[in-house]
Amino acid sequence: MNRTIAIFTLLAALLAMQLVAEDALPTVSLDSFDVREIELKLEQPPHGRVTPRIADLNDKIALVLSGGGARGLSQIGVIDELEKAGIRPNLVVGTSMGAIIGGLYAAGYSPEELRGAAMSIEWEGLLLDSPDRTNLFITQRLATEKFFLHLRFDGLKPYLPEGLSAAQELHNSLGRLCATADYTSEGDFDKLDIPFRAVTTDLRTGRPYIWDQGNLSTALRASAAIPLVISPVEYGIALLADGGLIYPIPVEIAIAESMATIIGVDATAEVIYPQELDNALLILDQMTNIMSEDRKILERRAADVIITPDLEGHGSFDFARPNWLIGRGRSETQRVIPRLKAIISYKRNIANNEDSSFICAGISGSGAELLEFGIGDSVSETNLRAELLRLFETGLYQPPECILRTHSDTAFIFIDIDPNPAFAGVEISGASLLTQDSIGAFFTQEIGQPINTTLLDSGLTRIERFYRNEGNNLAHIKATALVRGTLQVDIDEGIIEDIRVEGNEVTRDWVLLSFVPLRRGEIYRDYLLDHALTDIHATGLFKSVRPVITKGDSGAVIVFKVTEKPYWGLRIGTRYDLVTDVEGILEVSDDNFFGSAWRMNLGIYGGERRWEVYTSIEGDRIWKTYFTSKGALFAKGNEHDIWDDDEIIQTIVVNRYGLKFSIGQQIKRFGTVFAEVATERVAFGPQGEKLREYPLHRVTLKSIVDTFDKRQFPRTGKYHLTYVTFSQDILGGEYSFTKSYMGFQSYWSLGEPITFRPYIMAGYIAGGPPFFELFELGSGVDFWGFRPDQRRGNSFANTGFELRLNPLDPLFMKMGLCWGRTWEKDAKLAVEDMIWGWGVGWGLKTPIGPVKLSWGRNTEKLEEIRFSIGYDY
């Protein structure tokens, strides 16, 4: 209703009420009445909804969340209890872990969704920079897993990373969780579900950098960059890290935003550290606590209420009990809620000057009967505004209008509360996954009944949840309108307009885009973004990969912003065992040859009994396909022992020089099949004598499946190796033979304590191979009680199992049993000739590779002690 008409109507009504209320109110001039308009301060509805927001400027509440690492998860419980108490902030400010939790809350995640995320994320794994082993191609593992150290060089200067980890897994998680908010807010943090500020520290200037716009996931990742632990984020000319370095509880930022009531949460660790300071991370955390203690004291005093969950004894890097942490946040907030409500009420009364109350002498206007007080009741502006709010929040009425006319301690009220029009249905546009007929299933609002905007908003929420369940986090309600009772809904399904890459100075665009399964013109799927981030990171070519999703002219523009690593460097490995003694390996490599993601290597390894010099070029993928290829030149030599029962009677030297080329097909990330052609010159003979030379040509067909979860002492996974080698005397080759092999092994963990490893393998050679091509029990095929080369044959079989005990990880114990043997050419394969072996062993996980010590015995009455350090090669 037009305000002028309303006031005119009010005056007429007041004249009438004066006549009726002559006994209750002395006759006075209208000029002596104080006339005030009581209104709800309304803002535009949240994005994609129909119910306007209530904007009570006198209740501006800020929620300020601290850092604290794992302890910061307790702030989820704080948010949950505040919501249950009806206290919803108008601004969220966060730093470090508080920025992550607060940013996701501001982006629209409910406390229950935050709890679900906290439970599902492997927090310790987020600090890892290396991609998960199962995300690597088999060819990558074969090329790199024999080394324990990779030194990179930027020009001639060694490259030193800015932190222990670039935390790419954290990038991946935040990129996925923030996708919707980044897309719908268009980079404006004031357009999030709740306005948000992320606090970071610019390490180049020592000053705070406050994010109020930009890419949300980048802001959260930057705020969580713990110096020396997680590398900082380069953003323009700034180098951004943990905001807690300057503002551990960033109350000052909320004060600068003119918030009326500031609720601070302090989840930071105590200076009296709850754990033994027995590693660098704990010492670094304690140093930060000490340096920030004075600042925290000031920030606690500046907040109206400070919530400090009781987390005594819990360390900042202990993510083992997220539910317990969240519960501690809940319990402390429950204790504080009464005092917090009293403070909010007090500030509201002071700000509104609403201490005065009046006796209601008259009420008129449409909807007057809906008020919960009547003539003769005491009423204040606060009561009246609360009544208007109660009625409006039912969703059944238009924004109410009210005029209050007071004189002395008496008040007359004129109110206009109009019901919403009847609901006529829903019209939808922009939806390809929904039909007009199916849209009604999302709404409980009945056609013909007065519109309940709360019910309509619930239906709109269900539509967006439907898209989330379909894996489309970008889909959202673009716009809504109520036209003559019909709800018009325009859906943005997140159609991909463009996909680009930025930041790659060496790597070709097509290399990066070949790992992106998202396509222009298709609907966005968050799991496809996950695949892209995981696969790009798994190349090992980039310090970080950040997805930035923005709105284009017709849909979503996805930009993968990468920071490249130096691509050439040295790989170093070493090992020792009782037979081959000390060996070392050194490889000079360019991992991004001409920006194609191919590896160019020059390497040398050797020791007393083995050596090799090689150069190779290999690609895990050819162009955009999943074909793989490798070419190599090599020269290598081995010494082999010839045994008579349990004695070495001779040592044979075998030297090879040649080249080989292979081409194959990657089977996702768990296997590969390929064909290899090799030609070589072989020289062999007894040690100390002249070696005999001859050519050897071969073609090999090979299949590898490897799903082991860990490089050292796997807990789960399978390894299958199958190959057939054909060597013919064509083109001058001297030997003709066919060699075939099949081997299967797997790891099964029975809970944490025990890992079970069954295995079975067999091989057969037809024709006349040289002796060093024969199968071995004891080296090529482990067998309890035999030393390397001790049993050779044209065919073999071996099966058995191992049980490994894991409770002392990284120290392991194992025991095993095996059954098998080798056979000479054309020998009868008699089961009664099979050999049993058994043994026990110990293992230790170390940075340079596994340490293994074992003792074994078999029914041939042979015993063997094995000891080795390092990775096999």
Side-chain angles (χ1 to χ4, degrees):
M1 179 182 291
N2 182 279
R3 183 170 299 179
T4 303
I5 297 175
I7 294 175
F8 178 81
T9 305
L10 166 70
L11 294 176
L14 291 176
L15 286 172
M17 285 191 292
Q18 263 188 295
L19 297 176
V20 174
E22 286 181 352
D23 295 335
L25 180 70
T27 303
V28 293
S29 169
L30 285 176
D31 294 337
S32 65
F33 281 82
D34 180 16
V35 179
R36 280 169 285 176
E37 183 176 4
I38 307 300
E39 60 179 344
L40 296 179
K41 300 179 177 68
L42 301 179
E43 296 178 344
Q44 289 296 318
H47 194 82
R49 299 296 183 267
V50 295
T51 306
R53 281 174 166 161
I54 305 299
D56 196 329
L57 299 179
N58 296 319
D59 284 349
K60 294 178 70 176
I61 300 171
L63 177 62
V64 178
L65 304 179
S66 74
R71 295 165 61 96
L73 296 179
S74 63
Q75 297 173 126
I76 297 174
V78 173
I79 292 171
D80 194 11
E81 290 303 318
L82 292 177
E83 288 252 327
K84 290 176 181 176
I87 301 172
R88 185 173 173 84
N90 306 95
L91 175 72
V92 177
V93 182
T95 189
S96 196
M97 180 61 83
I100 293 176
I101 292 170
L104 295 178
Y105 176 49
Y109 286 87
S110 68
E112 185 58 29
E113 289 171 327
L114 292 175
R115 191 192 71 83
M119 296 297 295
S120 63
I121 291 174
E122 295 184 11
W123 292 97
E124 292 88 347
L126 294 181
L127 300 181
L128 298 179
D129 197 22
S130 299
D132 191 88
R133 186 178 188 273
T134 56
N135 291 329
L136 302 177
F137 289 117
I138 297 292
T139 49
Q140 288 177 276
R141 303 176 209 173
L142 293 174
T144 61
E145 288 195 341
K146 49 184 172 285
F147 306 98
F148 73 85
L149 181 62
H150 188 184
L151 297 176
R152 298 179 183 270
F153 291 86
D154 187 0
L156 297 177
K157 184 175 66 174
Y159 163 70
L160 297 176
E162 298 93 343
L164 294 176
S165 169
Q168 181 59 44
E169 290 299 321
L170 183 58
H171 264 312
N172 293 1
S173 295
L174 293 176
R176 181 184 71 254
L177 293 169
C178 296
T180 305
D182 279 327
Y183 184 58
T184 58
S185 70
E186 301 182 65
D188 185 350
F189 291 3
D190 283 338
K191 291 182 179 179
L192 296 172
D193 196 53
I194 303 172
F196 173 67
R197 303 292 180 263
V199 182
T200 58
T201 300
D202 186 351
L203 297 180
R204 292 197 170 107
T205 65
R207 297 177 180 175
Y209 185 97
I210 312 302
W211 291 72
D212 59 4
Q213 59 182 348
N215 180 254
L216 180 61
S217 64
T218 302
L220 304 189
R221 163 63 179 82
S223 188
I226 306 168
L228 301 181
V229 178
I230 299 178
S231 58
V233 172
E234 292 195 23
Y235 191 77
I237 62 173
L239 187 64
L240 303 178
D242 189 350
L245 296 175
I246 298 177
Y247 293 127
I249 315 170
V251 172
E252 290 94 330
I253 308 305
I255 293 174
E257 296 280 347
S258 302
M259 291 290 107
T261 303
I262 298 175
I263 307 168
V265 185
D266 181 9
T268 59
E270 307 92 341
V271 170
I272 302 175
Y273 205 75
Q275 297 180 10
E276 293 293 332
L277 300 177
D278 54 2
N279 67 57
L281 289 179
L282 300 182
I283 291 173
L284 177 63
D285 191 46
Q286 176 69 333
M287 290 171 58
T288 304
N289 295 333
I290 293 171
M291 290 186 294
S292 64
E293 186 61 25
D294 289 344
R295 168 64 70 175
K296 286 193 287 186
I297 291 172
L298 295 175
E299 290 173 329
R300 290 189 193 105
R301 291 173 179 170
D304 292 288
V305 173
I306 195 78
I307 300 173
T308 307
D310 182 5
L311 306 174
E312 183 177 355
H314 200 95
S316 300
F317 296 98
D318 181 3
F319 289 91
R321 298 187 292 169
N323 262 335
W324 181 84
L325 290 164
I326 294 170
R328 302 305 288 177
R330 281 199 185 101
S331 59
E332 180 61 19
T333 307
Q334 290 169 355
R335 190 184 67 81
V336 171
I337 286 291
R339 183 163 62 93
L340 177 57
K341 285 186 172 181
I343 291 173
I344 293 173
S345 177
Y346 172 77
K347 289 201 170 190
R348 179 189 300 139
N349 290 336
I350 293 297
N352 288 332
N353 245 345
E354 294 177 350
D355 291 328
S356 301
S357 61
F358 307 90
I359 300 299
C360 180
I363 305 174
S364 66
S366 62
E369 70 281 0
L370 298 172
L371 298 178
E372 291 188 343
F373 56 81
I375 295 174
D377 291 336
S378 177
V379 64
S380 68
E381 289 191 23
T382 300
N383 302 142
L384 193 51
R385 187 173 284 108
E387 274 294 279
L388 299 181
L389 178 61
R390 179 186 65 80
L391 292 170
F392 181 71
E393 287 182 337
T394 65
L396 296 170
Y397 304 102
Q398 300 285 319
E401 295 181 358
C402 179
I403 295 177
L404 179 68
R405 180 172 179 266
T406 62
H407 175 77
S408 184
D409 61 351
T410 304
F412 291 92
I413 300 169
F414 176 83
I415 190 164
D416 184 10
I417 305 176
D418 295 326
N420 287 325
F423 182 55
V426 182
E427 293 180 356
I428 188 168
S429 60
S432 64
L433 298 183
L434 297 174
T435 64
Q436 187 65 46
D437 292 337
S438 67
I439 197 70
F442 294 94
F443 294 91
T444 58
Q445 169 77 66
E446 295 183 11
I447 293 178
Q449 295 297 313
I451 287 174
N452 186 327
T453 58
T454 301
L455 294 181
L456 294 185
D457 282 342
S458 296
L460 295 171
T461 299
R462 292 187 191 97
I463 292 175
E464 291 185 333
R465 190 176 296 124
F466 163 79
Y467 279 98
R468 303 289 181 274
N469 293 337
E470 291 292 313
N472 185 355
N473 278 341
L474 293 191
H476 64 282
I477 308 299
K478 184 178 180 181
T480 60
L482 281 169
V483 179
R484 292 185 295 278
T486 298
L487 176 63
Q488 297 178 345
V489 181
D490 185 9
I491 296 179
D492 182 344
E493 289 191 319
I495 303 297
I496 299 172
E497 176 183 321
D498 195 14
I499 302 172
R500 301 196 299 266
V501 295
E502 293 180 3
N504 50 315
E505 298 179 1
V506 176
T507 311
R508 309 295 178 88
D509 284 4
W510 63 262
V511 171
L512 283 153
L513 293 175
S514 70
F515 290 101
V516 179
L518 297 160
R519 296 290 180 265
R520 294 179 179 88
E522 295 183 355
I523 292 177
Y524 167 88
R525 303 288 186 183
D526 63 334
Y527 69 90
L528 295 180
L529 179 69
D530 266 347
H531 288 329
L533 294 172
T534 297
D535 291 350
I536 293 173
H537 179 225
T539 64
L541 302 178
F542 307 99
K543 299 179 192 176
S544 65
V545 185
R546 293 190 291 118
V548 176
I549 304 175
T550 57
K551 279 194 175 182
D553 295 332
S554 61
V557 176
I558 304 175
V559 180
F560 293 91
K561 295 193 174 185
V562 300
T563 303
E564 294 180 310
K565 292 180 180 178
Y567 293 130
W568 82 274
L570 297 177
R571 291 190 175 97
I572 300 170
T574 187
R575 73 179 308 278
Y576 168 82
D577 66 41
L578 296 175
V579 175
T580 60
D581 204 34
V582 177
E583 296 179 317
I585 182 169
L586 179 68
E587 183 178 273
V588 180
S589 64
D590 180 349
D591 289 344
N592 199 5
F593 191 57
F594 286 116
S596 64
W598 282 51
R599 290 181 293 274
M600 174 70 107
N601 305 315
L602 175 63
I604 181 171
Y605 84 73
E608 185 176 340
R609 295 175 60 89
R610 298 191 301 175
W611 63 272
E612 181 175 5
V613 178
Y614 62 89
T615 183
S616 65
I617 183 169
E618 58 186 312
D620 304 313
R621 297 179 64 183
I622 300 175
W623 192 240
K624 297 181 179 181
T625 72
Y626 280 86
F627 287 108
T628 177
S629 183
K630 178 179 179 178
L633 292 170
F634 62 90
K636 61 182 179 180
N638 287 351
E639 292 182 1
H640 298 268
D641 295 326
I642 305 299
W643 291 77
D644 184 6
D645 289 330
D646 61 347
E647 291 186 3
I648 299 173
I649 60 174
Q650 192 177 37
T651 298
I652 302 296
V653 176
V654 181
N655 295 330
R656 304 181 182 198
Y657 316 87
L659 60 88
K660 55 188 176 182
F661 173 79
S662 66
I663 187 167
Q665 170 76 47
Q666 305 281 14
I667 307 172
K668 296 186 178 179
R669 300 279 170 165
F670 60 79
T672 184
V673 293
F674 62 88
E676 180 182 271
V677 178
T679 180
E680 55 189 278
R681 192 79 180 173
V682 180
F684 78 96
Q687 193 173 48
E689 298 181 12
K690 184 178 180 180
L691 304 183
R692 175 186 169 211
E693 293 191 18
Y694 68 93
L696 180 66
H697 313 298
R698 72 175 73 203
V699 175
T700 301
L701 304 178
K702 184 179 288 190
S703 168
I704 303 174
V705 172
D706 179 358
T707 63
F708 287 168
D709 62 333
K710 299 181 185 296
R711 185 179 177 189
Q712 298 187 52
F713 305 103
R715 299 290 184 93
T716 62
K718 298 177 175 60
Y719 184 85
H720 301 166
L721 172 62
T722 305
Y723 67 81
V724 180
T725 294
F726 306 93
S727 179
Q728 302 297 323
D729 55 4
I730 59 174
L731 301 177
E734 186 159 330
Y735 290 94
S736 293
F737 62 91
T738 300
K739 182 178 181 180
S740 57
Y741 169 92
M742 296 181 68
F744 305 89
Q745 58 179 307
S746 59
Y747 284 89
W748 304 85
S749 287
L750 309 175
E752 284 295 319
I754 299 176
T755 297
F756 176 60
R757 174 192 167 231
Y759 58 87
I760 183 170
M761 53 197 72
Y764 177 76
I765 303 177
F771 86 96
F772 50 81
E773 290 287 348
L774 299 177
F775 294 110
E776 312 165 19
L777 282 186
S779 178
V781 179
D782 286 346
F783 198 96
W784 295 104
F786 288 133
R787 292 189 62 190
D789 294 326
Q790 198 161 0
R791 288 292 185 273
R792 292 179 174 274
N794 288 64
S795 57
F796 88 98
N798 184 25
T799 186
F801 68 88
E802 291 179 359
L803 283 177
R804 191 179 72 217
L805 305 179
N806 306 314
L808 299 178
D809 185 359
L811 178 66
F812 304 90
M813 294 177 286
K814 71 175 182 177
M815 60 191 72
L817 181 70
C818 61
W819 185 56
R821 68 163 297 138
T822 62
W823 289 272
E824 301 299 327
K825 184 179 180 181
D826 300 325
K828 181 181 178 181
L829 308 183
V831 173
E832 60 268 20
D833 295 333
M834 301 285 275
I835 302 166
W836 289 91
W838 58 90
V840 296
W842 295 262
L844 179 66
K845 192 186 302 181
T846 77
I848 65 171
V851 176
K852 299 179 181 178
L853 174 65
S854 65
W855 168 87
R857 182 178 174 83
N858 57 49
T859 51
E860 294 282 289
K861 298 182 179 180
L862 296 176
E863 296 185 11
E864 178 215 14
I865 294 177
R866 289 192 179 190
F867 178 72
S868 66
I869 302 175
Y871 298 107
D872 292 331
Y873 49 84

